[in-house]
Amino acid sequence: MTDLGIERTIRPAATTILSWPRLVERLAALGEVPVVRMIDGLPAFPDEVPADEWQELRLSLAGGMVTIRWAGADFRCVTWGTSDDALRQSWDKLCFAIATVVEGQIVEEGHSQTATDFATRVGLN
């Protein structure tokens, strides 16, 4: 947890690029339609597709804004620590979607879990 935000890390099974089309497809299956607001600190067109080498994305989801930071092999998902239930649900869906796309583990407060275990814990199943 940071001063203003809460974060989870998604650790891929192997170094991989997060495919934007696959992430959008996975999120759509969960009822989320992501809108890109910023790419690497610069404003983005809502329908803009991030290049494979992005480092930070700011996405608007149904519940609010979530940031994805690509740090080394890991993806860090950050949102406001004061988020309401709707934002937390969108954040949960985003973390789950990333983990399924990159076949990774979700690390939260030092504990690692599979995407399936995470989905069960947060009620996505």
Side-chain angles (χ1 to χ4, degrees):
M1 184 176 206
T2 63
D3 289 341
L4 298 175
I6 50 178
E7 108 178 17
R8 292 182 181 129
T9 299
I10 292 83
R11 188 156 293 141
T15 301
T16 186
I17 291 173
L18 177 59
S19 165
W20 179 251
R22 286 187 61 212
L23 179 60
V24 169
E25 180 181 298
R26 187 68 186 118
L27 283 168
L30 296 167
E32 287 284 346
V33 179
V35 178
V36 179
R37 297 296 183 193
M38 295 183 85
I39 301 172
D40 295 333
L42 298 173
F45 292 105
D47 60 347
E48 193 168 344
V49 175
D52 287 344
E53 63 275 355
W54 63 268
Q55 295 298 304
E56 181 177 291
L57 299 177
R58 185 146 321 148
L59 306 178
S60 179
L61 299 169
M65 201 73 69
V66 179
T67 300
I68 307 170
R69 291 188 181 113
W70 192 358
D74 295 342
F75 299 94
R76 294 173 35 220
C77 292
V78 182
T79 194
W80 294 105
T82 56
S83 60
D84 61 14
D85 288 342
L87 180 52
R88 283 184 182 263
Q89 287 178 339
S90 290
W91 182 49
D92 291 344
K93 290 175 183 178
L94 178 62
C95 292
F96 174 72
I98 293 171
T100 57
V101 169
V102 300
E103 299 176 9
Q105 299 269 321
I106 299 170
V107 181
E108 186 173 32
E109 297 179 9
H111 301 287
S112 187
Q113 56 197 312
T114 66
T116 303
D117 290 342
F118 173 81
T120 299
R121 185 178 65 78
V122 300
L124 292 178
N125 290 357

